[in-house]
Amino acid sequence: MNNLPKLIISEEFRDLIRPLKHSEFIQLEENICKDGCLQPIVIWNGTIVDGHNRYAICLKHNIPFNVKNMTFSCKDEVIAWICKNQLGRRNISEETRHYLIGRQYESEKNILRSKNPNGYNQYTDPKSTKKHTPIKYRVSPSRHTTAQRIADENHITHGTVQKYAIFTKALDEIYKKEPELTRKILSGKYKISHKNIMALSELSAEELRKINKRVEKNNLPYMRYSSTRRAIENKPEEAKPVKLLRTPSIKDMPEYDPDSTIVELSLTIPSWISSIKRMENNTNLDNVSDTAIGELENALLDLHSIIELMLKRLREN
């Protein structure tokens, strides 16, 4: 182990990369132990850019590895490269995809700003031998151009890129206060819209910890924002008014029917199916906003999860 290169791990770089599931890590470990570390670990100034899991496995089992040095002018260039590299992978959640696009956009804006802080070009630079152009005609790095290029790469609009950048900033604020909640959002375990992310980012660390604990206790594959809204608002459950009714007699009691709730649900489900088919036949999804699609996706995922649990119970009986 003493002969292996010692590399630096940046949490900021590492957290941009989707963590492997336990089964995926075990499989990678078995492959490396059997065949060696076939892919080089990408580094910048001795810091790992890509290959954190391979590095950990090689250290654990004292397996030699190769490194690939990459040249970047600054940290923002590294982040932009990592984001673009991760976006090429298929096994990332939609939340992670949105975050990476927003983070890449913000990093590339920073790179442009550092290269040309005053917005000069060859015609406006005071040091240039050419005639100086009035300040109102100065050309600064175009945010629109950067957003449009990233949009084209990801088959979305430049406005969507800028929306994802807002989502990214809000998520970074949450990460500073409660990192685990951010990871749950990016993994899809905590479903929340872009609009509600903004409100979440303004909460205190203590409030975010309460929400994270509630999500942690949830046994379903994911939990929606609406399920934690009362904890966020910190409002007690409103007491329902009590109606004074006469005490029912035995004659008033309906005959118990154990099938009633099942029959009622069976009669309701066809209307859901009809609504879904009507939406599918009459709606052009290309014209629908990402927010509306996201809300529908979350609702369908909730329904799918409940259906799976119900089918499991029915089959066990």
Side-chain angles (χ1 to χ4, degrees):
M1 187 178 296
N2 294 331
N3 297 326
L4 297 179
K6 293 184 179 180
L7 304 177
I8 302 169
I9 296 176
S10 165
E11 290 187 5
E12 186 174 13
F13 295 168
R14 183 191 61 194
D15 288 347
L16 288 171
I17 300 171
R18 183 190 76 87
L20 294 180
K21 297 178 181 178
H22 180 69
S23 59
E24 293 173 329
F25 186 88
I26 294 298
Q27 185 61 60
L28 178 63
E29 187 173 25
E30 290 178 358
N31 293 343
I32 291 177
C33 289
K34 178 183 177 183
D35 303 320
C37 189
L38 302 179
Q39 288 184 300
I41 296 171
V42 181
I43 65 171
W44 172 63
N45 292 342
T47 301
I48 299 177
V49 175
D50 185 66
H52 296 83
N53 293 303
R54 297 194 297 276
Y55 179 66
I57 292 169
C58 288
L59 286 186
K60 178 181 177 181
H61 298 282
N62 197 28
I63 298 173
F65 58 87
N66 294 320
V67 297
K68 178 182 179 182
N69 282 285
M70 295 197 68
T71 302
F72 299 102
S73 64
C74 61
K75 184 179 73 171
D76 278 308
E77 276 195 9
V78 181
I79 291 173
W81 184 91
I82 293 174
C83 290
K84 191 171 182 178
N85 188 49
Q86 288 296 303
L87 284 167
R89 300 184 176 182
R90 297 180 180 179
N91 57 351
I92 59 174
S93 68
E94 277 302 298
E95 293 82 2
T96 297
R97 180 172 174 269
H98 298 172
Y99 177 83
L100 290 171
I101 290 172
R103 189 68 187 274
Q104 180 186 351
Y105 174 60
E106 288 298 318
S107 295
E108 293 199 17
K109 279 199 310 180
N110 292 338
I111 295 167
L112 287 172
R113 193 179 295 116
S114 64
K115 289 181 177 179
N116 191 7
N118 297 316
Y120 293 123
N121 62 19
Q122 60 176 331
Y123 300 103
T124 64
D125 190 344
K127 297 179 182 179
S128 174
T129 57
K130 299 194 177 188
K131 185 177 179 180
H132 185 59
T133 304
I135 190 169
K136 67 178 180 178
Y137 296 113
R138 291 181 182 176
V139 181
S140 60
S142 173
R143 293 184 180 182
H144 178 85
T145 302
T146 302
Q148 189 60 57
R149 177 176 50 77
I150 295 174
D152 292 341
E153 292 171 354
N154 294 280
H155 310 291
I156 54 179
T157 66
H158 77 276
T160 302
V161 172
Q162 293 170 334
K163 184 183 77 171
Y164 290 168
I166 296 172
F167 168 77
T168 295
K169 289 180 180 178
L171 209 54
D172 284 341
E173 285 299 313
I174 297 171
Y175 182 85
K176 294 175 185 176
K177 304 170 188 176
E178 185 61 25
E180 281 302 318
L181 184 59
T182 305
R183 295 186 181 103
K184 289 180 175 64
I185 294 171
L186 290 176
S187 68
K189 184 173 177 60
Y190 185 42
K191 298 289 186 180
I192 180 170
S193 68
H194 286 207
K195 178 182 177 181
N196 291 325
I197 279 284
M198 301 298 296
L200 207 66
S201 68
E202 296 175 358
L203 298 180
S204 67
E206 183 179 355
E207 290 172 314
L208 292 174
R209 277 194 292 272
K210 289 180 181 178
I211 296 169
N212 184 53
K213 287 180 180 178
R214 178 167 291 195
V215 178
E216 193 72 43
K217 292 178 181 178
N218 181 46
N219 293 324
L220 295 174
Y222 53 85
M223 189 173 195
R224 297 186 68 189
Y225 167 78
S226 57
S227 301
T228 60
R229 190 175 297 159
R230 190 166 300 279
I232 297 170
E233 295 173 350
N234 200 24
K235 292 181 180 179
E237 188 82 30
E238 293 183 2
K240 295 182 180 179
V242 179
K243 294 182 180 180
L244 298 176
L245 301 174
R246 66 180 180 85
T247 304
S249 65
I250 296 297
K251 294 180 179 180
D252 296 325
M253 295 294 182
E255 183 180 354
Y256 172 66
D257 182 4
D259 294 343
S260 60
T261 55
I262 297 294
V263 172
E264 182 181 353
L265 181 59
S266 299
L267 294 173
T268 304
I269 290 176
S271 67
W272 303 349
I273 297 173
S274 177
S275 296
I276 292 172
K277 287 182 176 179
R278 186 166 59 251
M279 182 280 298
E280 186 177 10
N281 294 331
N282 301 331
T283 305
N284 184 354
L285 293 178
D286 293 335
N287 298 329
V288 179
S289 69
D290 290 342
T291 301
I293 290 176
E295 290 294 331
L296 177 59
E297 182 183 9
N298 290 342
L300 289 173
L301 287 170
D302 278 349
L303 179 61
H304 177 70
S305 178
I306 292 172
I307 289 173
E308 284 189 333
L309 290 175
M310 178 58 70
L311 287 173
K312 182 180 178 181
R313 288 188 60 187
L314 294 174
R315 288 164 184 161
E316 288 175 350
N317 287 340

